[in-house]
Amino acid sequence: DTAVSQTPKYLVTQMGNDKSIKCEQNLGHDTMYWYKQDSKKFLKIMFSYNNKELIINETVPNRFSPKSPDKAHLNLHINSLELGDSAVYFCASSQDRGVLFGQYFGPGTRLTVT
Amino acid sequence: DQQVKQNSPSLSVQEGRISILNCDYTNSMFDYFLWYKKYPAEGPTFLISISSIKDKNEDGRFTVFLNKSAKHLSLHIVPSQPGDSAVYFCAVGSGNTGKLIFGQGTTLQVKP
């Protein structure tokens, strides 16, 4: 039983396209996150939703738009993809803010923009 | 501007010995400190955490030490096992925001 799942696992697309990555968690958590791991392996938070409300919105281009239809889902839509968007994107979830008991990560989506 | 640094990109130890992974942070306002483990092609997995009111937390073979005055935390794994070979990330956060800031990871190799 996968706790945090992401689709697709790999995504190859051309510059200028629009794409979405989906995330679902079955842990009953109330907070979900999107992280980006760049080529230097830094894992950086992009967004966080708590009970469908946006609570963290880091300095991310507004081409990136998260959408949370319910507590168990947090999707990431990216418009006008650029080469620099190539990275691994991780979804995560936690109960409350998850700083002491950790956040549970999905397997990642490797996005390659050509 | 890196707020969390793991200065050793890699570490190699013999099975059965102790592995010590280190992490430094810059902001004394952080009050939670975590370690994650990551295998290739998988997401990070939460290992152990500590709050700023403690200086040590132990869970089986894993112990995290926090030195607030030095803004330094470390993860001790003893005894190390080949299955511990992975990338280890430290992360720091604030209970108010829920935001975690990660280091860039240390690759641990445990040799049989």
mmCIF file of all heavy atoms in Angstrom, chain A residues 14-60:
data_model
loop_
_atom_site.group_PDB
_atom_site.id
_atom_site.type_symbol
_atom_site.label_atom_id
_atom_site.label_comp_id
_atom_site.label_asym_id
_atom_site.label_seq_id
_atom_site.Cartn_x
_atom_site.Cartn_y
_atom_site.Cartn_z
ATOM 1 N N GLN A 14 8.736 19.095 -24.074
ATOM 2 C CA GLN A 14 9.475 20.171 -24.739
ATOM 3 C C GLN A 14 9.204 21.512 -24.085
ATOM 4 O O GLN A 14 8.153 21.714 -23.434
ATOM 5 C CB GLN A 14 9.085 20.213 -26.216
ATOM 6 C CG GLN A 14 9.579 19.011 -27.007
ATOM 7 C CD GLN A 14 9.282 19.147 -28.495
ATOM 8 O OE1 GLN A 14 8.254 19.706 -28.887
ATOM 9 N NE2 GLN A 14 10.167 18.640 -29.326
ATOM 10 N N MET A 15 10.134 22.404 -24.267
ATOM 11 C CA MET A 15 9.974 23.777 -23.788
ATOM 12 C C MET A 15 8.669 24.369 -24.308
ATOM 13 O O MET A 15 8.273 24.121 -25.447
ATOM 14 C CB MET A 15 11.123 24.650 -24.288
ATOM 15 C CG MET A 15 12.428 24.459 -23.582
ATOM 16 S SD MET A 15 13.732 25.443 -24.338
ATOM 17 C CE MET A 15 13.044 27.082 -24.255
ATOM 18 N N GLY A 16 8.024 25.122 -23.435
ATOM 19 C CA GLY A 16 6.805 25.804 -23.819
ATOM 20 C C GLY A 16 5.530 25.022 -23.531
ATOM 21 O O GLY A 16 4.435 25.604 -23.531
ATOM 22 N N ASN A 17 5.680 23.720 -23.290
ATOM 23 C CA ASN A 17 4.488 22.912 -22.999
ATOM 24 C C ASN A 17 3.979 23.157 -21.584
ATOM 25 O O ASN A 17 4.689 23.688 -20.730
ATOM 26 C CB ASN A 17 4.797 21.425 -23.171
ATOM 27 C CG ASN A 17 4.877 21.018 -24.624
ATOM 28 O OD1 ASN A 17 4.470 21.769 -25.516
ATOM 29 N ND2 ASN A 17 5.404 19.832 -24.885
ATOM 30 N N ASP A 18 2.736 22.733 -21.348
ATOM 31 C CA ASP A 18 2.129 22.769 -20.010
ATOM 32 C C ASP A 18 1.960 21.333 -19.540
ATOM 33 O O ASP A 18 1.489 20.479 -20.302
ATOM 34 C CB ASP A 18 0.741 23.430 -20.054
ATOM 35 C CG ASP A 18 0.767 24.834 -20.601
ATOM 36 O OD1 ASP A 18 1.845 25.456 -20.600
ATOM 37 O OD2 ASP A 18 -0.306 25.314 -21.027
ATOM 38 N N LYS A 19 2.328 21.065 -18.292
ATOM 39 C CA LYS A 19 2.219 19.705 -17.772
ATOM 40 C C LYS A 19 1.749 19.730 -16.318
ATOM 41 O O LYS A 19 1.903 20.730 -15.616
ATOM 42 C CB LYS A 19 3.562 18.974 -17.826
ATOM 43 C CG LYS A 19 4.022 18.635 -19.232
ATOM 44 C CD LYS A 19 3.129 17.583 -19.860
ATOM 45 C CE LYS A 19 3.558 17.293 -21.291
ATOM 46 N NZ LYS A 19 2.602 16.386 -21.980
ATOM 47 N N SER A 20 1.199 18.591 -15.895
ATOM 48 C CA SER A 20 0.761 18.447 -14.501
ATOM 49 C C SER A 20 1.362 17.200 -13.883
ATOM 50 O O SER A 20 1.563 16.190 -14.557
ATOM 51 C CB SER A 20 -0.763 18.344 -14.422
ATOM 52 O OG SER A 20 -1.374 19.547 -14.787
ATOM 53 N N ILE A 21 1.622 17.298 -12.585
ATOM 54 C CA ILE A 21 2.051 16.145 -11.793
ATOM 55 C C ILE A 21 1.016 15.967 -10.685
ATOM 56 O O ILE A 21 0.629 16.948 -10.033
ATOM 57 C CB ILE A 21 3.439 16.364 -11.155
ATOM 58 C CG1 ILE A 21 4.458 16.762 -12.221
ATOM 59 C CG2 ILE A 21 3.893 15.098 -10.428
ATOM 60 C CD1 ILE A 21 5.808 17.181 -11.639
ATOM 61 N N LYS A 22 0.595 14.719 -10.490
ATOM 62 C CA LYS A 22 -0.447 14.460 -9.492
ATOM 63 C C LYS A 22 0.147 13.788 -8.262
ATOM 64 O O LYS A 22 1.102 13.013 -8.359
ATOM 65 C CB LYS A 22 -1.537 13.573 -10.090
ATOM 66 C CG LYS A 22 -2.298 14.242 -11.211
ATOM 67 C CD LYS A 22 -3.460 13.393 -11.679
ATOM 68 C CE LYS A 22 -4.251 14.141 -12.740
ATOM 69 N NZ LYS A 22 -5.418 13.364 -13.206
ATOM 70 N N CYS A 23 -0.422 14.079 -7.122
ATOM 71 C CA CYS A 23 0.024 13.481 -5.870
ATOM 72 C C CYS A 23 -1.181 13.101 -5.035
ATOM 73 O O CYS A 23 -2.140 13.878 -4.915
ATOM 74 C CB CYS A 23 0.913 14.450 -5.100
ATOM 75 S SG CYS A 23 1.457 13.806 -3.494
ATOM 76 N N GLU A 24 -1.094 11.920 -4.432
ATOM 77 C CA GLU A 24 -2.161 11.446 -3.553
ATOM 78 C C GLU A 24 -1.540 10.795 -2.330
ATOM 79 O O GLU A 24 -0.559 10.076 -2.432
ATOM 80 C CB GLU A 24 -3.038 10.425 -4.290
ATOM 81 C CG GLU A 24 -4.123 9.810 -3.421
ATOM 82 C CD GLU A 24 -4.971 8.787 -4.167
ATOM 83 O OE1 GLU A 24 -4.705 8.534 -5.346
ATOM 84 O OE2 GLU A 24 -5.898 8.248 -3.549
ATOM 85 N N GLN A 25 -2.130 11.037 -1.164
ATOM 86 C CA GLN A 25 -1.678 10.357 0.049
ATOM 87 C C GLN A 25 -2.858 9.684 0.726
ATOM 88 O O GLN A 25 -3.964 10.240 0.755
ATOM 89 C CB GLN A 25 -0.960 11.336 0.998
ATOM 90 C CG GLN A 25 -1.747 12.571 1.398
ATOM 91 C CD GLN A 25 -2.485 12.462 2.705
ATOM 92 O OE1 GLN A 25 -2.410 11.451 3.406
ATOM 93 N NE2 GLN A 25 -3.217 13.510 3.060
ATOM 94 N N ASN A 26 -2.588 8.478 1.256
ATOM 95 C CA ASN A 26 -3.653 7.718 1.929
ATOM 96 C C ASN A 26 -3.367 7.566 3.418
ATOM 97 O O ASN A 26 -3.807 6.606 4.054
ATOM 98 C CB ASN A 26 -3.839 6.361 1.249
ATOM 99 C CG ASN A 26 -2.599 5.487 1.328
ATOM 100 O OD1 ASN A 26 -1.621 5.830 1.987
ATOM 101 N ND2 ASN A 26 -2.614 4.352 0.652
ATOM 102 N N LEU A 27 -2.610 8.517 3.961
ATOM 103 C CA LEU A 27 -2.228 8.464 5.373
ATOM 104 C C LEU A 27 -3.191 9.241 6.271
ATOM 105 O O LEU A 27 -3.011 9.248 7.489
ATOM 106 C CB LEU A 27 -0.811 9.029 5.527
ATOM 107 C CG LEU A 27 0.267 8.232 4.798
ATOM 108 C CD1 LEU A 27 1.561 9.036 4.723
ATOM 109 C CD2 LEU A 27 0.506 6.901 5.504
ATOM 110 N N GLY A 28 -4.146 9.926 5.664
ATOM 111 C CA GLY A 28 -5.057 10.726 6.461
ATOM 112 C C GLY A 28 -4.438 12.017 6.961
ATOM 113 O O GLY A 28 -4.979 12.653 7.872
ATOM 114 N N HIS A 29 -3.319 12.409 6.388
ATOM 115 C CA HIS A 29 -2.648 13.637 6.807
ATOM 116 C C HIS A 29 -3.417 14.866 6.332
ATOM 117 O O HIS A 29 -4.177 14.807 5.371
ATOM 118 C CB HIS A 29 -1.224 13.678 6.242
ATOM 119 C CG HIS A 29 -0.299 12.714 6.898
ATOM 120 N ND1 HIS A 29 0.904 12.332 6.337
ATOM 121 C CD2 HIS A 29 -0.384 12.057 8.083
ATOM 122 C CE1 HIS A 29 1.515 11.483 7.148
ATOM 123 N NE2 HIS A 29 0.739 11.292 8.207
ATOM 124 N N ASP A 30 -3.173 15.984 7.037
ATOM 125 C CA ASP A 30 -3.892 17.201 6.662
ATOM 126 C C ASP A 30 -3.001 18.232 5.979
ATOM 127 O O ASP A 30 -3.479 19.301 5.598
ATOM 128 C CB ASP A 30 -4.551 17.829 7.899
ATOM 129 C CG ASP A 30 -3.542 18.186 8.988
ATOM 130 O OD1 ASP A 30 -2.322 18.052 8.755
ATOM 131 O OD2 ASP A 30 -3.979 18.594 10.074
ATOM 132 N N THR A 31 -1.706 17.938 5.825
ATOM 133 C CA THR A 31 -0.788 18.891 5.209
ATOM 134 C C THR A 31 -0.008 18.195 4.097
ATOM 135 O O THR A 31 0.460 17.073 4.267
ATOM 136 C CB THR A 31 0.190 19.457 6.255
ATOM 137 O OG1 THR A 31 -0.558 19.990 7.356
ATOM 138 C CG2 THR A 31 1.039 20.571 5.659
ATOM 139 N N MET A 32 0.093 18.868 2.957
ATOM 140 C CA MET A 32 0.825 18.310 1.818
ATOM 141 C C MET A 32 1.773 19.362 1.262
ATOM 142 O O MET A 32 1.565 20.577 1.426
ATOM 143 C CB MET A 32 -0.144 17.822 0.737
ATOM 144 C CG MET A 32 -1.010 16.653 1.207
ATOM 145 S SD MET A 32 -2.052 15.950 -0.069
ATOM 146 C CE MET A 32 -0.853 15.082 -1.086
ATOM 147 N N TYR A 33 2.836 18.877 0.596
ATOM 148 C CA TYR A 33 3.926 19.741 0.157
ATOM 149 C C TYR A 33 4.399 19.361 -1.253
ATOM 150 O O TYR A 33 4.262 18.213 -1.667
ATOM 151 C CB TYR A 33 5.149 19.574 1.087
ATOM 152 C CG TYR A 33 4.875 19.624 2.560
ATOM 153 C CD1 TYR A 33 4.357 18.513 3.223
ATOM 154 C CD2 TYR A 33 5.152 20.761 3.303
ATOM 155 C CE1 TYR A 33 4.113 18.546 4.590
ATOM 156 C CE2 TYR A 33 4.915 20.797 4.665
ATOM 157 C CZ TYR A 33 4.397 19.689 5.305
ATOM 158 O OH TYR A 33 4.170 19.724 6.659
ATOM 159 N N TRP A 34 4.984 20.329 -1.915
ATOM 160 C CA TRP A 34 5.773 20.059 -3.113
ATOM 161 C C TRP A 34 7.192 20.566 -2.883
ATOM 162 O O TRP A 34 7.395 21.704 -2.432
ATOM 163 C CB TRP A 34 5.195 20.755 -4.354
ATOM 164 C CG TRP A 34 4.091 19.982 -4.991
ATOM 165 C CD1 TRP A 34 2.766 20.304 -5.018
ATOM 166 C CD2 TRP A 34 4.216 18.744 -5.694
ATOM 167 N NE1 TRP A 34 2.054 19.341 -5.678
ATOM 168 C CE2 TRP A 34 2.918 18.371 -6.118
ATOM 169 C CE3 TRP A 34 5.284 17.900 -6.024
ATOM 170 C CZ2 TRP A 34 2.657 17.204 -6.840
ATOM 171 C CZ3 TRP A 34 5.030 16.742 -6.735
ATOM 172 C CH2 TRP A 34 3.736 16.406 -7.136
ATOM 173 N N TYR A 35 8.167 19.694 -3.194
ATOM 174 C CA TYR A 35 9.572 20.026 -3.129
ATOM 175 C C TYR A 35 10.197 19.853 -4.511
ATOM 176 O O TYR A 35 9.753 19.017 -5.295
ATOM 177 C CB TYR A 35 10.326 19.085 -2.172
ATOM 178 C CG TYR A 35 10.114 19.335 -0.709
ATOM 179 C CD1 TYR A 35 9.007 18.795 -0.040
ATOM 180 C CD2 TYR A 35 11.020 20.089 0.024
ATOM 181 C CE1 TYR A 35 8.835 19.011 1.316
ATOM 182 C CE2 TYR A 35 10.848 20.302 1.391
ATOM 183 C CZ TYR A 35 9.757 19.761 2.020
ATOM 184 O OH TYR A 35 9.576 19.975 3.361
ATOM 185 N N LYS A 36 11.270 20.600 -4.739
ATOM 186 C CA LYS A 36 12.043 20.460 -5.963
ATOM 187 C C LYS A 36 13.483 20.104 -5.591
ATOM 188 O O LYS A 36 14.081 20.772 -4.731
ATOM 189 C CB LYS A 36 12.028 21.776 -6.762
ATOM 190 C CG LYS A 36 12.853 21.750 -8.044
ATOM 191 C CD LYS A 36 12.799 23.109 -8.731
ATOM 192 C CE LYS A 36 13.628 23.104 -10.022
ATOM 193 N NZ LYS A 36 13.598 24.428 -10.715
ATOM 194 N N GLN A 37 14.006 19.043 -6.210
ATOM 195 C CA GLN A 37 15.418 18.707 -6.020
ATOM 196 C C GLN A 37 16.147 19.020 -7.310
ATOM 197 O O GLN A 37 15.915 18.396 -8.346
ATOM 198 C CB GLN A 37 15.603 17.237 -5.651
ATOM 199 C CG GLN A 37 17.053 16.910 -5.302
ATOM 200 C CD GLN A 37 17.265 15.465 -4.896
ATOM 201 O OE1 GLN A 37 16.600 14.561 -5.383
ATOM 202 N NE2 GLN A 37 18.188 15.249 -3.977
ATOM 203 N N ASP A 38 17.031 20.008 -7.236
ATOM 204 C CA ASP A 38 17.702 20.457 -8.457
ATOM 205 C C ASP A 38 18.929 19.608 -8.761
ATOM 206 O O ASP A 38 19.219 18.637 -8.077
ATOM 207 C CB ASP A 38 18.052 21.939 -8.339
ATOM 208 C CG ASP A 38 18.989 22.226 -7.171
ATOM 209 O OD1 ASP A 38 19.711 21.309 -6.720
ATOM 210 O OD2 ASP A 38 18.988 23.367 -6.686
ATOM 211 N N SER A 39 19.670 20.028 -9.779
ATOM 212 C CA SER A 39 20.822 19.238 -10.240
ATOM 213 C C SER A 39 21.921 19.175 -9.185
ATOM 214 O O SER A 39 22.746 18.266 -9.193
ATOM 215 C CB SER A 39 21.375 19.822 -11.533
ATOM 216 O OG SER A 39 21.711 21.179 -11.328
ATOM 217 N N LYS A 40 21.952 20.132 -8.272
ATOM 218 C CA LYS A 40 22.934 20.109 -7.192
ATOM 219 C C LYS A 40 22.433 19.335 -5.983
ATOM 220 O O LYS A 40 23.073 19.349 -4.932
ATOM 221 C CB LYS A 40 23.308 21.536 -6.783
ATOM 222 C CG LYS A 40 24.031 22.290 -7.888
ATOM 223 C CD LYS A 40 24.453 23.661 -7.417
ATOM 224 C CE LYS A 40 25.184 24.397 -8.528
ATOM 225 N NZ LYS A 40 25.579 25.753 -8.133
ATOM 226 N N LYS A 41 21.306 18.687 -6.131
ATOM 227 C CA LYS A 41 20.733 17.789 -5.119
ATOM 228 C C LYS A 41 20.087 18.505 -3.941
ATOM 229 O O LYS A 41 19.682 17.860 -2.982
ATOM 230 C CB LYS A 41 21.770 16.771 -4.587
ATOM 231 C CG LYS A 41 22.431 15.979 -5.689
ATOM 232 C CD LYS A 41 21.425 15.191 -6.483
ATOM 233 C CE LYS A 41 22.103 14.345 -7.560
ATOM 234 N NZ LYS A 41 21.126 13.707 -8.451
ATOM 235 N N PHE A 42 20.005 19.853 -4.000
ATOM 236 C CA PHE A 42 19.307 20.534 -2.923
ATOM 237 C C PHE A 42 17.817 20.264 -3.024
ATOM 238 O O PHE A 42 17.227 20.321 -4.100
ATOM 239 C CB PHE A 42 19.546 22.048 -2.995
ATOM 240 C CG PHE A 42 20.865 22.476 -2.456
ATOM 241 C CD1 PHE A 42 21.900 22.806 -3.304
ATOM 242 C CD2 PHE A 42 21.073 22.547 -1.088
ATOM 243 C CE1 PHE A 42 23.125 23.182 -2.806
ATOM 244 C CE2 PHE A 42 22.299 22.933 -0.584
ATOM 245 C CZ PHE A 42 23.324 23.254 -1.450
ATOM 246 N N LEU A 43 17.214 19.974 -1.882
ATOM 247 C CA LEU A 43 15.780 19.725 -1.805
ATOM 248 C C LEU A 43 15.146 20.984 -1.243
ATOM 249 O O LEU A 43 15.384 21.340 -0.086
ATOM 250 C CB LEU A 43 15.543 18.537 -0.871
ATOM 251 C CG LEU A 43 14.265 17.739 -0.958
ATOM 252 C CD1 LEU A 43 14.098 17.137 -2.329
ATOM 253 C CD2 LEU A 43 14.275 16.652 0.097
ATOM 254 N N LYS A 44 14.327 21.669 -2.051
ATOM 255 C CA LYS A 44 13.772 22.944 -1.609
ATOM 256 C C LYS A 44 12.261 22.922 -1.655
ATOM 257 O O LYS A 44 11.670 22.472 -2.639
ATOM 258 C CB LYS A 44 14.290 24.080 -2.489
ATOM 259 C CG LYS A 44 15.767 24.317 -2.354
ATOM 260 C CD LYS A 44 16.220 25.496 -3.192
ATOM 261 C CE LYS A 44 17.718 25.702 -3.047
ATOM 262 N NZ LYS A 44 18.233 26.761 -3.927
ATOM 263 N N ILE A 45 11.649 23.440 -0.607
ATOM 264 C CA ILE A 45 10.198 23.468 -0.567
ATOM 265 C C ILE A 45 9.671 24.514 -1.543
ATOM 266 O O ILE A 45 10.267 25.579 -1.722
ATOM 267 C CB ILE A 45 9.679 23.728 0.861
ATOM 268 C CG1 ILE A 45 8.181 23.474 0.927
ATOM 269 C CG2 ILE A 45 10.045 25.141 1.336
ATOM 270 C CD1 ILE A 45 7.641 23.313 2.320
ATOM 271 N N MET A 46 8.574 24.166 -2.191
ATOM 272 C CA MET A 46 7.925 25.105 -3.098
ATOM 273 C C MET A 46 6.608 25.590 -2.494
ATOM 274 O O MET A 46 6.362 26.781 -2.394
ATOM 275 C CB MET A 46 7.651 24.418 -4.440
ATOM 276 C CG MET A 46 8.872 23.885 -5.141
ATOM 277 S SD MET A 46 8.465 22.877 -6.567
ATOM 278 C CE MET A 46 7.773 24.098 -7.667
ATOM 279 N N PHE A 47 5.759 24.646 -2.139
ATOM 280 C CA PHE A 47 4.418 24.972 -1.629
ATOM 281 C C PHE A 47 4.042 24.013 -0.510
ATOM 282 O O PHE A 47 4.542 22.906 -0.432
ATOM 283 C CB PHE A 47 3.352 24.814 -2.731
ATOM 284 C CG PHE A 47 3.579 25.618 -3.961
ATOM 285 C CD1 PHE A 47 4.079 25.018 -5.105
ATOM 286 C CD2 PHE A 47 3.279 26.977 -3.986
ATOM 287 C CE1 PHE A 47 4.289 25.756 -6.258
ATOM 288 C CE2 PHE A 47 3.488 27.719 -5.128
ATOM 289 C CZ PHE A 47 3.990 27.112 -6.270
ATOM 290 N N SER A 48 3.109 24.495 0.326
ATOM 291 C CA SER A 48 2.512 23.613 1.314
ATOM 292 C C SER A 48 1.043 23.981 1.479
ATOM 293 O O SER A 48 0.698 25.172 1.498
ATOM 294 C CB SER A 48 3.235 23.731 2.648
ATOM 295 O OG SER A 48 2.551 22.998 3.640
ATOM 296 N N TYR A 49 0.205 22.963 1.590
ATOM 297 C CA TYR A 49 -1.219 23.149 1.821
ATOM 298 C C TYR A 49 -1.597 22.450 3.120
ATOM 299 O O TYR A 49 -1.200 21.318 3.366
ATOM 300 C CB TYR A 49 -2.045 22.537 0.684
ATOM 301 C CG TYR A 49 -2.313 23.459 -0.465
ATOM 302 C CD1 TYR A 49 -1.313 23.753 -1.376
ATOM 303 C CD2 TYR A 49 -3.564 24.040 -0.634
ATOM 304 C CE1 TYR A 49 -1.552 24.613 -2.434
ATOM 305 C CE2 TYR A 49 -3.818 24.890 -1.700
ATOM 306 C CZ TYR A 49 -2.803 25.167 -2.599
ATOM 307 O OH TYR A 49 -3.044 26.006 -3.649
ATOM 308 N N ASN A 50 -2.409 23.124 3.914
ATOM 309 C CA ASN A 50 -2.955 22.527 5.124
ATOM 310 C C ASN A 50 -4.473 22.593 5.019
ATOM 311 O O ASN A 50 -5.038 23.686 4.917
ATOM 312 C CB ASN A 50 -2.455 23.261 6.372
ATOM 313 C CG ASN A 50 -3.095 22.747 7.640
ATOM 314 O OD1 ASN A 50 -4.073 23.307 8.130
ATOM 315 N ND2 ASN A 50 -2.560 21.676 8.176
ATOM 316 N N ASN A 51 -5.117 21.416 5.014
ATOM 317 C CA ASN A 51 -6.577 21.382 4.843
ATOM 318 C C ASN A 51 -7.031 22.225 3.652
ATOM 319 O O ASN A 51 -7.958 23.026 3.758
ATOM 320 C CB ASN A 51 -7.282 21.847 6.121
ATOM 321 C CG ASN A 51 -7.272 20.779 7.187
ATOM 322 O OD1 ASN A 51 -7.477 19.600 6.918
ATOM 323 N ND2 ASN A 51 -7.004 21.193 8.408
ATOM 324 N N LYS A 52 -6.369 22.027 2.551
ATOM 325 C CA LYS A 52 -6.689 22.675 1.273
ATOM 326 C C LYS A 52 -6.365 24.168 1.247
ATOM 327 O O LYS A 52 -6.677 24.856 0.278
ATOM 328 C CB LYS A 52 -8.161 22.467 0.913
ATOM 329 C CG LYS A 52 -8.538 21.018 0.663
ATOM 330 C CD LYS A 52 -10.046 20.821 0.587
ATOM 331 C CE LYS A 52 -10.676 21.709 -0.465
ATOM 332 N NZ LYS A 52 -12.148 21.542 -0.525
ATOM 333 N N GLU A 53 -5.742 24.682 2.301
ATOM 334 C CA GLU A 53 -5.386 26.099 2.334
ATOM 335 C C GLU A 53 -3.881 26.258 2.124
ATOM 336 O O GLU A 53 -3.079 25.586 2.787
ATOM 337 C CB GLU A 53 -5.784 26.699 3.674
ATOM 338 C CG GLU A 53 -5.447 28.187 3.797
ATOM 339 C CD GLU A 53 -5.741 28.713 5.187
ATOM 340 O OE1 GLU A 53 -6.380 27.998 5.981
ATOM 341 O OE2 GLU A 53 -5.329 29.850 5.469
ATOM 342 N N LEU A 54 -3.481 27.157 1.245
ATOM 343 C CA LEU A 54 -2.071 27.395 0.964
ATOM 344 C C LEU A 54 -1.421 28.063 2.169
ATOM 345 O O LEU A 54 -1.850 29.138 2.610
ATOM 346 C CB LEU A 54 -1.941 28.293 -0.267
ATOM 347 C CG LEU A 54 -0.516 28.605 -0.747
ATOM 348 C CD1 LEU A 54 0.172 27.331 -1.244
ATOM 349 C CD2 LEU A 54 -0.548 29.660 -1.835
ATOM 350 N N ILE A 55 -0.367 27.430 2.743
ATOM 351 C CA ILE A 55 0.281 27.999 3.918
ATOM 352 C C ILE A 55 1.746 28.344 3.676
ATOM 353 O O ILE A 55 2.317 29.157 4.393
ATOM 354 C CB ILE A 55 0.168 27.068 5.147
ATOM 355 C CG1 ILE A 55 0.723 25.664 4.853
ATOM 356 C CG2 ILE A 55 -1.270 26.989 5.620
ATOM 357 C CD1 ILE A 55 0.836 24.800 6.099
ATOM 358 N N ILE A 56 2.379 27.709 2.719
ATOM 359 C CA ILE A 56 3.747 28.054 2.347
ATOM 360 C C ILE A 56 3.775 28.252 0.843
ATOM 361 O O ILE A 56 3.319 27.403 0.081
ATOM 362 C CB ILE A 56 4.762 26.962 2.743
ATOM 363 C CG1 ILE A 56 4.837 26.815 4.256
ATOM 364 C CG2 ILE A 56 6.146 27.288 2.188
ATOM 365 C CD1 ILE A 56 5.743 25.683 4.723
ATOM 366 N N ASN A 57 4.317 29.382 0.429
ATOM 367 C CA ASN A 57 4.448 29.678 -0.992
ATOM 368 C C ASN A 57 5.798 30.352 -1.164
ATOM 369 O O ASN A 57 5.931 31.548 -0.937
ATOM 370 C CB ASN A 57 3.298 30.579 -1.443
ATOM 371 C CG ASN A 57 3.302 30.799 -2.942
ATOM 372 O OD1 ASN A 57 4.209 30.363 -3.646
ATOM 373 N ND2 ASN A 57 2.294 31.476 -3.441
ATOM 374 N N GLU A 58 6.802 29.542 -1.471
ATOM 375 C CA GLU A 58 8.143 30.075 -1.598
ATOM 376 C C GLU A 58 8.275 30.879 -2.897
ATOM 377 O O GLU A 58 7.346 30.957 -3.688
ATOM 378 C CB GLU A 58 9.164 28.935 -1.577
ATOM 379 C CG GLU A 58 9.279 28.284 -0.220
ATOM 380 C CD GLU A 58 9.828 29.217 0.840
ATOM 381 O OE1 GLU A 58 11.036 29.528 0.800
ATOM 382 O OE2 GLU A 58 9.045 29.651 1.721
ATOM 383 N N THR A 59 9.436 31.460 -3.098
ATOM 384 C CA THR A 59 9.662 32.266 -4.294
ATOM 385 C C THR A 59 9.775 31.337 -5.488
ATOM 386 O O THR A 59 10.853 30.833 -5.806
ATOM 387 C CB THR A 59 10.957 33.096 -4.144
ATOM 388 O OG1 THR A 59 10.902 33.807 -2.927
ATOM 389 C CG2 THR A 59 11.100 34.058 -5.301
ATOM 390 N N VAL A 60 8.644 31.070 -6.080
ATOM 391 C CA VAL A 60 8.543 30.159 -7.207
ATOM 392 C C VAL A 60 7.885 30.925 -8.352
ATOM 393 O O VAL A 60 6.939 31.680 -8.101
ATOM 394 C CB VAL A 60 7.688 28.930 -6.801
ATOM 395 C CG1 VAL A 60 7.459 28.020 -7.987
ATOM 396 C CG2 VAL A 60 8.356 28.168 -5.671
#
